[in-house]
Amino acid sequence: MTEELKIFNPRKNPNYHILAIFTLVLGIGLDYFIFRERTMTFAYIPLMMMVGILSRNFMPILILTGLATVSLQFNSPAEWGVELFFLRWMSYFLVAFIINTSLKNYQKEQESLHNLTFALAGSIDARDKYTSFHSQNVAYYSREIGKAMNLSRKDCRNLYVGGLLHDIGKIGVPEAVLNKPSRLTDEEFELVKQHPQCGYDLLKYTSSFKRNTILDMVLYHHEKFDGTGYPNCLKGKDIPLVARIMAVADAFDAMTSRRVYRNKKELDYALSEISKGKQSQFDPEIADVFLQLIHNKNIIVRGFMQEN
């Protein structure tokens, strides 16, 4: 899981280093050639922004902003002055420092969110040894469907997080029911059907989950396209897109992973069930996208891989 969800770190991305070199060349060009006869403080602002993004700590920011200020003052000898020098230095420093601090705070928030996601996903998978990979599998399938539908990178990433958390409400379902070797009674199935609402109630106070449609996936992934699903009997496009995607991923993994109460289904049978479920259980467009991914071997069938 740790490889699937990476925290944004521009220092490890060579494109940001290339961009930093570009802003340096831009700043020198503006300072020494374009505005040769005038002092333009903004010439080095793009560079200071990149300094803030790429710096690990306080000292590089202090040194590099100082060097940019010296360069600016050197090209404008008529404006040399201690007060003006420190005013410009402080301006550059504040730009870089604010960006650096904002980025670090964002990374800390993302790290905390990732840790919370892994802990919650692990807690439910650990309760049932037969579905210990289910959350990861659903996350993977959902993200791949999103990619095939040309959703944004952010939406695909959210689909992965939502997949990890979609069954978190099963924490409230007794283990005797989750691990029952025979078919569930009506009363037991009613307990299981409460897990989307239970999961929603558990996560609804986490603002980032609400912002990123994670709550929609948790609450609505058992809704059916014909309106016969639960918990709210939503129908068709009234079901959020991310939940319609997850419904296909969840059902497919349920049919291709070994469960305590039945043997693993054959792949052809699972694909047939997805196809037959178009218009009734699944959004036909999403089901077709998923079936095409399988047909073209653009996706790994995780359940079989883990059994072998």
Side-chain angles (χ1 to χ4, degrees):
M1 277 194 296
T2 55
E3 294 182 357
E4 302 281 4
L5 283 177
K6 295 181 180 179
I7 297 174
F8 173 67
N9 188 352
R11 289 189 294 272
K12 295 183 178 180
N13 189 329
N15 292 330
Y16 282 88
H17 294 273
I18 294 172
L19 185 58
I21 294 172
F22 172 78
T23 58
L24 173 61
V25 173
L26 175 66
I28 292 174
L30 292 174
D31 186 18
Y32 283 83
F33 300 101
I34 306 300
F35 300 110
R36 183 68 182 86
E37 303 300 326
R38 298 162 57 194
T39 299
M40 304 298 291
T41 304
F42 76 80
Y44 292 104
I45 291 296
L47 176 61
M48 294 306 99
M49 295 172 65
M50 294 308 302
V51 168
I53 290 173
L54 296 176
S55 296
R56 294 180 179 273
N57 51 52
F58 174 84
M59 286 306 298
I61 295 176
L62 192 64
I63 294 170
L64 292 172
T65 54
L67 290 174
T69 308
V70 169
S71 178
L72 188 69
Q73 293 285 121
F74 179 78
N75 194 36
S76 308
E79 297 191 29
W80 269 104
V82 175
E83 291 183 1
L84 184 58
F85 176 83
F86 279 104
L87 179 62
R88 288 171 175 165
W89 191 357
M90 181 59 66
S91 298
Y92 285 154
F93 178 82
L94 285 176
V95 169
F97 182 75
I98 290 172
I99 290 178
N100 184 262
T101 301
S102 299
L103 179 59
K104 285 183 177 179
N105 289 338
Y106 171 78
Q107 289 174 328
K108 286 181 180 179
E109 179 184 354
Q110 290 299 301
E111 184 176 358
S112 297
L113 186 61
H114 290 177
N115 291 338
L116 175 62
T117 299
F118 298 147
L120 291 174
S123 66
I124 183 59
D125 283 346
R127 297 186 68 204
D128 185 353
K129 64 181 180 179
Y130 294 95
T131 61
S132 58
F133 293 102
H134 178 63
S135 296
Q136 296 178 50
N137 294 348
V138 173
Y140 166 72
Y141 295 140
S142 298
R143 184 192 60 194
E144 295 306 307
I145 294 171
K147 287 180 180 179
M149 295 178 68
N150 296 316
L151 299 187
S152 68
R153 181 178 297 182
K154 179 181 178 182
D155 288 338
C156 291
R157 181 179 178 279
N158 290 337
L159 279 166
Y160 192 86
V161 175
L164 292 176
L165 296 175
H166 76 286
D167 271 345
I168 189 61
K170 286 184 178 179
I171 286 177
V173 179
E175 288 192 33
V177 174
L178 286 180
N179 295 307
K180 186 177 179 180
S182 57
R183 186 173 296 275
L184 300 179
T185 65
D186 291 343
E187 292 79 9
E188 290 168 336
F189 186 56
E190 286 301 316
L191 278 177
V192 174
K193 286 173 64 176
Q194 294 175 16
H195 80 268
Q197 185 65 54
C198 182
Y200 175 87
D201 293 338
L202 182 65
L203 301 177
K204 65 182 178 180
Y205 298 109
T206 305
S207 59
S208 59
F209 288 154
K210 185 175 183 178
R211 258 193 334 266
N212 295 331
T213 69
I214 306 300
L215 293 182
D216 286 343
M217 302 180 221
V218 172
L219 183 59
Y220 300 125
H221 68 278
H222 279 295
E223 299 289 355
K224 294 183 179 181
F225 203 68
D226 62 2
T228 61
Y230 61 89
N232 294 332
C233 297
L234 298 183
K235 184 177 182 180
K237 298 300 176 68
D238 289 338
I239 307 169
L241 174 63
V242 289
R244 283 180 271 140
I245 290 173
M246 193 149 295
V248 174
D250 185 39
F252 179 76
D253 189 65
M255 289 185 285
T256 55
S257 297
R258 184 178 295 280
R259 301 295 175 117
V260 67
Y261 50 84
R262 69 165 182 266
N263 293 326
K264 180 176 65 181
K265 302 292 186 180
E266 294 295 331
L267 177 60
D268 289 344
Y269 173 81
L271 296 178
S272 174
E273 289 297 298
I274 295 293
S275 184
K276 286 193 298 185
K278 291 189 291 185
Q279 292 290 357
S280 56
Q281 185 172 354
F282 309 117
D283 182 324
E285 178 185 356
I286 295 171
D288 284 338
V289 168
F290 182 73
L291 292 171
Q292 193 65 33
L293 284 172
I294 296 290
H295 177 74
N296 293 337
K297 298 182 179 180
N298 291 331
I299 199 169
I300 299 170
V301 181
R302 292 277 187 100
F304 291 136
M305 179 184 70
Q306 288 153 1
E307 289 294 326
N308 295 331

